[in-house]
Amino acid sequence: MRAAAFLDRDGTIIHDAHYLADPDGVRLLPGAAAAIARLNAAGMPVVVVTNQSGIGRGYFTEGDFRAVQARVEALLAAGGARLDAVYHCPHAPDAEPACGCRKPGVELFVRAAAEHGLDLARSWYVGDRLRDVAPAERLGGRGILVRAGAEHGEAERAPAGVAVVEDLAEAVEVVLAAARAN
Ligand SMILES: [Mg+2]
């Protein structure tokens, strides 16, 4: 089984436009495509896991999500990067009954591992929110919190053991340095 890089999308790969429903609003963060291309070149599976509560809240549809995601992947492809898989949680945080797939829930990671032969305990959990890195605690991997210019300041509250970096490029540097050391 292989270690994977689990990446958050909004605020980590693309500018977080909040409930983004329009493909024309997609803007890659600087260096994101090159960073993902480095993971591709290293042979590490890149899996996006993203909370998309805008669907459950009725702000946009599954089709809108797919259109935005297609735009993200087209921009990444133009930068020489590809995603190996994408998983999204469509539920609102107050959904009844509560779902298990909204991060920090681990259901999507467990599903990805089963479908792609991934070793969750050796994988990386990368995002701009504490809920993105929290699954590492339950699953045994390592979390990396990216600041990415976010104003919510969650990086300041990162627990011990979670690396805090500026952006996805730095996160990938941490991942590949650890891979080289093994
Ligand atoms: Mg995010």
Side-chain angles (χ1 to χ4, degrees):
M1 294 200 300
R2 302 172 298 166
F6 289 105
L7 308 183
D8 172 52
R9 193 188 77 181
D10 303 348
T12 300
I13 297 173
I14 66 172
H15 174 71
D16 190 355
H18 303 291
Y19 306 116
L20 181 58
D22 178 0
D24 289 338
V26 174
R27 282 166 40 217
L28 291 182
L29 288 168
I36 291 171
R38 288 189 72 196
L39 294 171
N40 296 150
M44 179 173 285
V46 179
V47 180
V48 164
V49 177
T50 175
N51 287 349
Q52 293 295 326
S53 71
I55 297 169
R57 297 176 203 262
Y59 297 166
F60 56 86
T61 67
E62 287 279 350
D64 295 328
F65 167 74
R66 283 195 297 275
V68 167
Q69 185 59 30
R71 178 70 178 150
V72 172
E73 291 178 38
L75 291 173
L76 288 175
R82 67 179 159 72
L83 305 176
D84 293 283
V86 179
Y87 294 84
H88 73 287
C89 166
H91 305 111
D94 57 357
E96 295 279 351
C99 75
C101 57
R102 179 176 167 82
K103 292 180 287 183
V106 299
E107 212 171 274
L108 295 179
F109 300 94
V110 171
R111 190 187 309 168
E115 293 179 351
H116 298 277
L118 307 175
D119 184 348
L120 293 172
R122 287 172 46 236
S123 290
W124 298 84
Y125 301 80
V126 183
D128 67 312
R129 296 279 189 170
L130 293 171
R131 61 177 176 248
D132 300 319
V133 299
E137 281 179 42
R138 278 179 62 188
L139 300 171
R142 287 190 56 194
I144 305 178
L145 213 147
V146 297
R147 295 178 188 275
E151 289 166 10
H152 47 66
E154 297 209 356
E156 315 314 320
R157 293 185 277 125
V162 170
V164 179
V165 300
E166 286 307 313
D167 57 16
L168 191 54
E170 267 190 37
V172 167
E173 192 56 50
V174 170
V175 170
L176 295 181
R180 279 193 298 270
N182 282 341

